[in-house]
Every structure is written in C-alpha cells, then in structure tokens.
Amino acid sequence: MFKPSTQKEFVPAGIVIVATLVLAVLGVIGARRLGLHRPSVGVQHLSAAAPASAPQARARTLAGMASLPLAFEENQGQTDPQVKYVARGNGYAVFLTAHDAVFALHSSQPRAKSPAPTQAKQTAHDQTAAIRLHLIGGNPHSTISAASQLPGHSNYFIGNDRSRWHAGVPQFARVSYRDAYPGVNMTYYGLQKQLEFDFIVAPGASPDPIRLGVTGANRISTDEQGNLILASSVGNVLLHKPLAYQQNDGARRPVDARFVLQAHNQVSFELGNYDRNRELVIDPSVTYATYLGGTAEDDGNAIAVDGSGNAYITGQTQSNPFPGTTGGYVGGFDVFVTKISANGLTLDYSTYVGGTGNDSGNAIAVNASGDAIVAGGTGSNNFPFTAGVLQKTFGGGNFDAFLFGLSSNGSLVYSTFLGGTGDDIANGLALDGAGNTYVVGSTTSTNFPPSVNSISGMTAGGFAMELNSAASALVYSTYIGAGGNDFASAVAVDSAGNTYVTGATETPTFVTTPNAVQTKCGSDGNCNGGLYDAFVTVIKPTGSSLVYSTFLGGEAKDEGFGIAVDGAGDAYVTGFTQSTQFPSGVSRLQSTLKGSSDAFVSELNPNGSQLLNSTYLGGSGNESGLAITVDNQQNAYVTGVTSSSDFPTVNPTQPKNGGLNDAFVSEFNPGGASLLFSTYLGGSGGENTSNSGTTGGGGSLAGIAVDSNGANIYVTGTTTSPTGSFPATTGAYQTAFQGGASDAFVAKYANPVPDFSITNGALSPTSGTPGVSATATITVTSTKSFTGAVALTCSVAPVVAKEPTCSFSNNSVTPPANGTVTSTLNVATTGSSAMLKHPSDRQNPGIVYAMLLPIGAITLLGAGLGSAGSRRKRLFGFLMLGLLLSTLLLLPACSSSGGGGSGSGTPTGPYTITVTGTSTGTGGGTATGTPALTLTVN
C-alpha cells in the first residue's frame, strides 16, 4: 500500500512519489529459555483488545498502548562507527550511514532441546541477512540531521567495559539528508514502527539522477502489480509500486510512476508527465509482513506500574547487530526494560542490559521515585556490574542470578551478580518501603551467597534474600528448600517486612511450622513418590525464623507460581494443580478439578493456620495461574494460561478461546467467592505457553499489575498468534505479529469493578400505619480515587396499586477521592389503608358475592307464588327484604377489607426498598446499597 506524505514542509506546489517497502522475513525464531520460566527476546508490545459480547462489556474495552512513533537513535557508540542513526522497525533494523540504508533481517530455526538445571532450554540456528540500499551517484558530503526529538531515550549497559555503556541516547522522529542529489533532499520518518523515506525534488530540479543500488539480495524482480521484490536467504523485501503526486492549490495530483530495473542491481524511477516547476516528493514506505518473522524475538516476563500509571516491562530480547560487525549493540539474548507513559502515547525509555551470553529479566518492581529494580538470570561472565555492590564477579556454573536498578530515566544505578559455583536464577523480587529488595529463585550452588541469618533446616533448591537499597550488603540470605529440585518462584513483602515466598518442593523434609494448614507433603505425607507440592513460606524480618511455612497440595502435582499479600497480612497464591484433593477453604468458587490440570487461587490468614479461600479455576482443558496481585480493596487479580473452551468468564472482553492456548485475566471479589471479571486474551496461536511446559522448574512467565487507584489492570506475556488473530487494538503501538517463536504483548484493561460503594443507613421508623414516612442516610464511598458523579435511584417491592414512594434529598452526589458523601432517602406511604394492602392480605370478596346469589334467588322465588296481583305486592316486599339482607352482609365485608387506623386487618408488607447508584462520569460503574431496607405498614 502506498502512504502519501503529510509533511508540512511540502509546499502547495509540491509533487510526491510514494512507494511502500515491506520486509517479509521468513523463518521461525526458536525460543530460548533462561531461568525458571525462561522467555526469549525482542522489545515489542502488543496492546490487546477484543470485541465485547454485550454493551456493558464493550464499555470495559481493553485499552491498547497507543501509537508510538518510530525512534531514530543517534549513534553514540552503541553500534558501528559508520552508522549515523539506527532505528528498529516491525521486523527489521535500519542503519543509516552517510549515503546508505542497511536493513538487517534475522530469523532462527529451532534445534532440539537440551536439558538445563531446573528447566528446559531450547537453542536455535540463527540466520541473518542484510539488504543495502545505496544512493548511486549521491552526494558523499550530504548533510545529515535529525529533527523532532522524542521524549524517550535509550540506554545500553552491555558487558563490564564501561566505555561501551551509553546512557540517555536521544531519539528523534525524523532524519534528513540535505542535497542527497542536486536539488533533492531525502527524509526518513515513521509511525507505529513503520519506516518511510521521501525523496523531495525541488522545483526546477530533476529526479532522473535518483538511483538505488541493491546489494545483499539474491534476486531482484518485479511482479504483475509493479512491485519490486528483493529476495534474500532469510526472506523477501517488497517495494510496492511507487506512487507520485504533486501539491496543486492544496490538492494532491497523482503522477504516474514505476520502478525500472537497471544493470548491475540498480533501480530507478520512471515518472509520467508532471509540472517541473513544482516540488516533487518520492516517498517509499517500509512496513512489515507481520506473520512471517522478523529481526528479533521477545517475551514479556513481568510488569510493574508506578504511582502515576506508567508501565514498566521486562523480559528477554535479541536484536540484530550492524551487519558485517561482531558483537553489535547486544550479545545473544539480553534483558530489556521498557517504560511506557501512563497514557500510552510515548515510550519514555528502553534500556538493554546484558553481556556476551544469554540474559533474561524475570521480575520487576518500581519504587516511589520511579526507579525500576530488575532481577533475572545471566549466562554472561561480563554482565555489567557497578562499584560497591555485593558481588562483582560471575560465580560459576551456567547461570548466575542478577539484580540491577535503573533510575527514573533508565540509567543504570547499580548492578550485581548473585550466585555461586552452580546454576542460580532469580525468579521474583519485591521492595519494601525503605527500598530494600527481596529476591527469590532457584539454585544448585552449595556456596550460594553467604548464608546470613539463614533458616534452620532449609538446605537446598530455592533461595530467598534481602539486600539493602544499594545492593551492597545482605540483610539475610537463606535457602528455601530441602532438595536440589525445589525452587522459589515469587515473593511479596508486607508493611512489617515479612517476606512471603511461594514455589514448589518435592522433599518431605521441607520445613513447615506447627499449626500450619498442611504440615505433610502430598496426600501420603511423602510427596506422593516425588511429586511437587506448592508451598507458602513467610519469613520474619530478621530472616532467621518463620512466621509460618506450609505445604499446599494433594495427591498429584501442585506448584506455586505467584504470590501477593494484602494490608491485613493475608497471603494470596496462584499456580497449577493436578490434584483432585487440593486443599479447600471457606469460600470456594469452583470445588472440583475440571481438567487434567487447573489453576488454583488460595488465600491464607496471617498466621497460616487457615485457608480463607482456596479454589480451582479452570475448564475441561488445562490451566496454570502464573501471576497474582491484590488491590487495596482486597480484590485479587490473576493471569495465566488456559486451553479450555469453557474457562469461566464474567463480562469478558473476549468470550471464547482464540486458539490452542490463551492467556486469561480474572478478578476475584474480596473473599474469593465470586469472579468480578474474567476473560480470555489471545489469538489462534498460543499465549503464555512455554516450550518446556508448566512443570517443575519450567514453564512460562507472565505478569499482572494494577495501578495505584485500582482503575486499570496491566498484563504482559508472550504470544505466537499471527496478525489479525491476536486482539490488538486499532492504533496500538504495534498491531502486527513480528515473527520468530513468540512476541511479547502488553494489555491494559479498564477495571470493570465499580469504583464506589453504597452503604444504607438504618431506616427510621421501620414500621407504621398507612401514611407513615421514613428516612435513611445513604453514604456513597469512593474507592480507587474515584471522583465522578453518582446518580441515585430507588425502587420498592412488591408492586401494588399504590406502593410506598421513595426519593432522595439529592439524587446526584459526587464523593471526593477516597472519601464519602451522603444523601437522605425519603420513603412515604399513602393514607388509604385499602390501597396499601398487599393483594395476598385482602379477604376474598367472592364469598360475600356468592352469598348474595341465593338471596336474590329466594326473593324471586317468593315473588312467583300466588295470584298476579298478590305477586306484584309480594315481589315488592321480597325485593325490599332482599335489599335489607344484602346490606347487612355487605357492611361487615367492607369493614373487614380495610384494616384502617384502628381496624383489625392483617399487617402489610414488608416492603423492600432498593438503592442503586450509577456513575455518570468516567470509571465508576453501578453499585447497590447494603444492607437491605424494609418497611412494614400496619
């Protein structure tokens, strides 16, 4: 497709020639895994949305991370010196030199998996290609300049050679070559990762000298539509048939244009008639064939949100070096950390950290200053470190854990190794209010960083540690486990500094505490022959003793993958279970295992002695809960993976499974008895799926977070779904699958739960005679900083001829953020006792009417006896007698039907008055007042 330029610098008399360049990168990039649930690389973010099935679901649309412009980075040493600017598009990287544009393509073909400690690892055969477009006969002294600086920047902390570290690299929206040919300027720019470049021919100048030399292509040809095809060993580059136009009186006038193949792999433009006294612009647009592959592979592993709603994503990424050089700006798989602004319109920074080996960011947290703290695993012995940290050298084995901190602008503040001579991977981290960092993971090292205040009996497998805010000293460091295959996968910390850890153990001697929910492993007390049980271990601030420690499991395999803690000290855990006897709690949404494995969600009380809630979550397929968080209203949010077609949904944005495996996003109410929101998220491929499967030490990583006021839910993970299948939103930052084994995605939901609650005050009085009036104070309480207007309505049941009426002193109220506002409910009744009667309380008049029938019959019978004259007299007499008898019968009947002021009628009601509030502004929702209000009228 051809996209005409809309640049303001084009004069009204200008002419534009437009062509589109599409990189169709073939091949499947193999997923490399590093760590407990190890993902792979390439920094991308797909914002997800799906059509809602009902108006109320459509109102809770899945908001995408909005469009971001293509960023051109000035080369400050992060790549080859001949490069002036570098940009990364959808499926390619482009390097701009003095008079060349070099497009780097990359794909990987997966090789067989090879085992690695605590997880499976897949290697891949990498294929690369570079296609170079050279300006034949161009001006070698053309002036190159960047314009329209973007608010974001990039940081590179690669290796431990500080001379190769580059912080605050600026980003620009466009790069121009002035006088590339006589009277011809060339400009690169783009949006949504799509690159465009324009040849701008000044009035009186000629486009004839413009000629592109092509190297790196195996074949150059044109198709029937006039598109130019450049074939490479990795994939094809497609330049759509050029489109030309001129500006004339504010309108664009098309000019015929086509490619012409020349000798020696050269391409020129042939143009039809046009006004040579007007400006001409040639604008080829670069887009990506999204379903075929690309230059990078990436997985989103974890997400965090700061107090302003900015999202921070980490994972594992691989990007192309500049062709013909070694090393480039990254080596193998590196950690990426990307910050996206609260409104999704700008990428504030993207930072790459790594060494010559493979590195993965597995967990992320953000402190009050906007600093991002990241933990994960590295196979690089030259992973960057900083002065004064705990461990400056690689400990040994295949992997070390690491911990680093970035400032609010993405610059490296500190970085340290965490590992011994075995394999060590960090899987989770948390921060406390003082900035101390809590890290958990898996280890095979017998000399893991010195045990400080360690827990007695914990000897191997997983680890937990607390470091100070500068990562220069340990508060404590301890093993969490009793066997080499035990692992810790997630951590949370409460306001008192207690550390909450979950993971899995296959060791019966794993340390538990008395009175814990489950003190034995498995249903047989012996881990059922070596099957995993999940565990929850809570460590006191000193690190040397436990608040509690418990198994969570049944007769089959059970693993914990995510943990959170609320303000009351209740622990929330999610993971996966294959046990039909998984322990149950007080509230249970789903009481049975529906598939071969289900997710589980459990809530424990502060001392671990009781399961407040423990439920399966799944359908007839397989599920795993991968991450969990909780808001300040004690709503729990879970994300994971499902293969079920009948996964439980509530007001879903996507009601059906899009493919073999989808991600899911579910929100539980406080107590976990019901789902407030639950939806699929995915396309025809797979989401949040690991090559190694969800087994002990292997599986997928995904992240979930809620912002400070709980109004939005943020999710990250991985997808293999092709373009048009994954529910990306229109105008999102990246709406197309980039190829390889998987892409990362980022989704943002507007929280469907009401942002306010309604409390009914006591109704006074609660009973009375007809004509009674009653009042109650109705309190509307804001949550999640809601400040919208709430419209109050009321209704009365049961409905009778003239029911009590209700109204408010103020039927529209606006609570302050996290505050309350009140209105008075007025209930009035009528003075007519008969009309206030409930129909079931009234005496049946049919009996009286039935009694009148024989009276009339007797009257007529008596009148029919005797002569005609006497009959007339008797008729009149009997009619008067009948009238008298009827009157005597009707009087008590009418009296009994009233039940008025001093009557003896049956009491009416009770009437139920329901108060409902509906937000009329942003956020909010609908809430019903509690407790119930009743009024009895006697």
Side-chain angles (χ1 to χ4, degrees):
M1 160 176 97
F2 302 102
K3 185 183 294 183
S5 172
T6 59
Q7 298 180 80
K8 294 182 179 179
E9 64 266 31
F10 297 164
V11 297
I15 179 170
V16 180
I17 300 179
V18 183
T20 303
L21 179 62
V22 180
L23 279 73
V25 186
L26 304 176
V28 178
I29 300 179
R32 296 188 178 180
R33 302 281 171 180
L34 176 62
L36 180 61
H37 321 290
R38 207 60 44 206
S40 43
V41 293
V43 184
Q44 321 164 2
H45 305 285
L46 290 176
S47 302
S53 59
Q56 64 268 30
R58 285 193 294 269
R60 295 185 295 272
T61 55
L62 177 62
M65 297 301 182
S67 302
L68 295 175
L70 188 73
F72 295 89
E73 300 173 8
E74 183 181 4
N75 183 16
Q76 295 185 353
Q78 69 269 29
T79 188
D80 189 272
Q82 63 185 299
V83 176
K84 306 301 181 183
Y85 294 89
V86 59
R88 297 169 190 87
N90 293 346
Y92 60 88
V94 60
F95 301 88
L96 303 180
T97 69
H99 33 70
D100 288 356
V102 182
F103 297 93
L105 315 179
H106 176 91
S107 73
S108 298
Q109 300 296 335
R111 292 175 177 168
K113 299 176 185 176
S114 58
T118 75
Q119 54 108 53
K121 180 184 178 183
Q122 177 171 309
T123 59
H125 173 60
D126 293 341
Q127 297 183 15
T128 60
I131 294 180
R132 183 184 300 260
L133 300 181
H134 178 69
L135 298 181
I136 302 295
N139 179 8
H141 305 294
S142 175
T143 302
I144 305 175
S145 61
S148 302
Q149 184 168 349
L150 299 171
H153 58 272
S154 299
N155 305 295
Y156 297 87
F157 305 106
I158 307 303
N160 51 24
D161 181 358
R162 294 172 182 268
S163 65
R164 298 185 62 191
W165 295 6
H166 305 280
V169 178
Q171 297 178 347
F172 299 90
R174 58 202 309 115
V175 175
S176 297
Y177 292 68
R178 181 169 297 278
D179 294 325
Y181 293 96
V184 177
N185 295 335
M186 186 178 185
T187 298
Y188 288 88
Y189 62 99
L191 185 66
Q192 297 181 13
K193 293 289 184 178
Q194 296 180 2
L195 178 68
E196 299 181 10
F197 58 97
D198 303 345
F199 290 102
I200 305 168
V201 183
S206 173
D208 296 341
I210 301 175
R211 185 166 301 193
L212 302 176
V214 181
T215 59
N218 297 335
R219 186 181 68 259
I220 304 177
S221 61
T222 57
D223 61 17
E224 295 179 354
Q225 289 75 40
N227 303 319
L228 182 68
I229 301 172
L230 312 177
S232 77
S233 59
V234 173
N236 295 335
V237 174
L238 178 69
L239 288 86
H240 283 291
K241 181 180 182 296
L243 171 69
Y245 67 87
Q246 283 187 304
Q247 296 278 14
N248 188 4
D249 297 329
R252 289 180 175 175
R253 304 297 173 87
V255 175
D256 290 336
R258 69 182 184 92
F259 291 116
V260 178
L261 300 184
Q262 306 284 354
H264 309 297
N265 293 332
Q266 296 181 15
V267 180
S268 63
F269 297 97
E270 182 176 283
L271 303 175
N273 293 328
Y274 71 96
D275 187 350
R276 297 199 174 239
N277 294 320
R278 297 181 182 274
E279 187 180 68
L280 168 69
V281 181
I282 305 172
D283 179 11
S285 174
V286 179
T287 60
Y288 169 65
T290 58
Y291 53 89
L292 291 178
T295 64
E297 176 191 355
D298 67 331
D299 290 285
N301 294 345
I303 190 168
V305 180
D306 66 20
S308 300
N310 301 303
Y312 301 72
I313 304 96
T314 192
Q316 180 175 310
T317 179
Q318 185 185 43
S319 300
N320 287 317
F322 183 74
T325 65
T326 59
Y329 57 89
V330 291
F333 288 83
D334 282 346
V335 180
F336 75 84
V337 183
T338 298
K339 177 183 177 183
I340 298 177
S341 64
N343 62 10
L345 296 177
T346 57
L347 189 154
D348 290 345
Y349 69 73
S350 219
T351 294
Y352 302 84
V353 181
T356 54
N358 292 327
D359 319 291
S360 175
N362 298 335
I364 190 168
V366 181
N367 64 22
S369 300
D371 301 333
I373 314 301
V374 180
T378 176
S380 303
N381 58 15
N382 66 335
F383 192 85
F385 65 88
T386 56
V389 293
L390 180 69
Q391 183 178 336
K392 299 178 182 178
T393 58
F394 189 80
N398 296 309
F399 309 116
D400 262 12
F402 68 76
L403 177 70
F404 66 73
L406 302 178
S407 67
S408 59
N409 65 2
S411 296
L412 192 66
V413 177
Y414 66 81
S415 180
T416 183
F417 291 99
L418 297 172
T421 54
D423 292 330
D424 316 287
I425 303 293
N427 298 314
L429 72 81
L431 302 176
D432 65 18
N436 297 319
T437 305
Y438 302 75
V439 184
V440 300
S442 60
T443 179
T444 63
S445 297
T446 58
N447 62 336
F448 191 78
S451 293
V452 178
N453 301 327
S454 60
I455 299 170
S456 176
M458 297 289 195
T459 58
F463 71 84
M465 57 169 52
E466 179 186 352
L467 297 91
N468 66 2
S469 59
S472 60
L474 287 169
V475 178
Y476 71 81
S477 177
T478 184
Y479 288 102
I480 297 289
N485 291 325
D486 295 354
F487 63 88
S489 55
V491 61
V493 61
D494 66 18
S495 58
N498 298 306
T499 309
Y500 296 70
V501 185
T502 193
T505 177
E506 57 183 14
T507 313
T509 58
F510 186 90
V511 176
T512 61
T513 53
N515 301 319
V517 167
Q518 184 178 336
T519 58
K520 294 182 179 180
C521 185
S523 59
D524 64 353
N526 196 36
C527 297
N528 301 107
L531 297 179
Y532 277 111
D533 257 14
F535 67 80
V536 178
T537 298
V538 182
I539 307 169
K540 291 183 179 180
T542 60
S544 59
S545 59
L546 298 171
V547 177
Y548 67 84
S549 184
T550 184
F551 294 103
L552 278 182
E555 83 286 359
K557 184 183 293 184
D558 318 282
E559 301 178 28
F561 290 145
I563 194 167
V565 60
D566 66 19
D570 295 346
Y572 300 73
V573 189
T574 193
F576 96 105
T577 178
Q578 296 177 335
S579 296
T580 60
Q581 302 172 24
F582 193 83
S584 62
V586 176
S587 301
R588 195 157 195 173
L589 176 73
Q590 180 180 323
S591 59
T592 60
L593 183 75
K594 290 187 176 181
S596 59
S597 66
D598 276 357
F600 72 82
V601 179
S602 299
E603 179 184 355
L604 295 89
N605 68 347
N607 63 13
S609 62
Q610 181 184 0
L611 279 170
L612 303 177
N613 173 50
S614 188
T615 184
Y616 296 100
L617 179 63
S620 56
N622 299 315
E623 279 79 27
S624 180
L626 299 178
I628 189 169
T629 190
V630 63
D631 66 18
N632 57 12
Q633 305 298 313
Q634 297 181 316
N635 300 301
Y637 305 77
V638 183
T639 191
V641 59
T642 176
S643 66
S644 298
S645 60
D646 55 349
F647 184 84
T649 60
V650 175
N651 299 322
T653 58
Q654 181 179 327
K656 295 182 179 180
N657 194 323
L660 179 63
N661 295 293
D662 268 9
F664 68 81
V665 182
S666 299
E667 179 180 0
F668 288 81
N669 74 334
S674 64
L675 287 170
L676 301 175
F677 170 61
S678 187
T679 186
Y680 290 99
L681 172 58
S684 60
E687 278 72 35
N688 290 350
T689 304
S690 167
N691 291 335
S692 57
T694 309
T695 57
S700 295
L701 282 175
I704 189 167
V706 292
D707 57 19
S708 58
N709 58 16
N712 298 290
I713 308 168
Y714 301 77
V715 184
T716 190
T718 62
T719 179
T720 64
S721 295
T723 303
S725 171
F726 187 87
T729 54
T730 302
Y733 165 56
Q734 194 169 325
T735 59
F737 181 70
Q738 300 307 293
S742 61
D743 280 355
F745 69 79
V746 176
K748 178 182 178 181
Y749 293 85
N751 194 339
V753 180
D755 294 342
F756 60 88
S757 62
I758 298 177
T759 304
N760 294 334
L763 190 67
S764 179
T766 58
S767 63
T769 59
V772 66
S773 296
T775 62
T777 299
I778 307 301
T779 302
V780 179
T781 302
S782 162
T783 61
K784 308 169 189 174
S785 299
F786 172 75
T787 57
V790 177
L792 296 175
T793 58
C794 58
S795 61
V796 179
V799 177
V800 294
K802 290 184 179 179
E803 73 250 14
T805 59
C806 59
S807 61
F808 296 95
S809 62
N810 187 356
N811 59 11
S812 179
V813 295
T814 302
N818 300 317
T820 63
V821 65
T822 62
S823 181
T824 300
L825 171 70
N826 299 301
V827 181
T829 64
T830 178
S832 172
S833 61
M835 303 312 293
L836 278 171
K837 278 288 190 180
H838 190 282
S840 64
D841 294 332
R842 297 174 185 166
Q843 294 188 7
N844 191 342
I847 298 175
V848 177
Y849 300 147
M851 293 175 67
L852 295 178
L853 292 176
I855 293 173
I858 293 171
T859 302
L860 295 175
L861 178 62
L865 299 176
S867 64
S870 64
R871 283 198 298 270
R872 285 193 294 272
K873 294 179 180 179
R874 282 193 296 271
L875 175 60
F876 178 77
F878 279 110
L879 287 174
M880 295 302 293
L881 177 63
L883 181 60
L884 178 61
L885 292 173
S886 298
T887 302
L888 293 174
L889 288 172
L890 285 172
L891 285 174
C894 291
S895 174
S896 65
S897 68
S902 59
S904 59
T906 304
T908 61
Y911 294 97
T912 300
I913 299 95
T914 301
V915 176
T916 302
T918 302
S919 169
T920 59
T922 58
T926 300
T928 301
T930 57
L933 296 174
T934 59
L935 176 66
T936 301
V937 181
N938 297 317

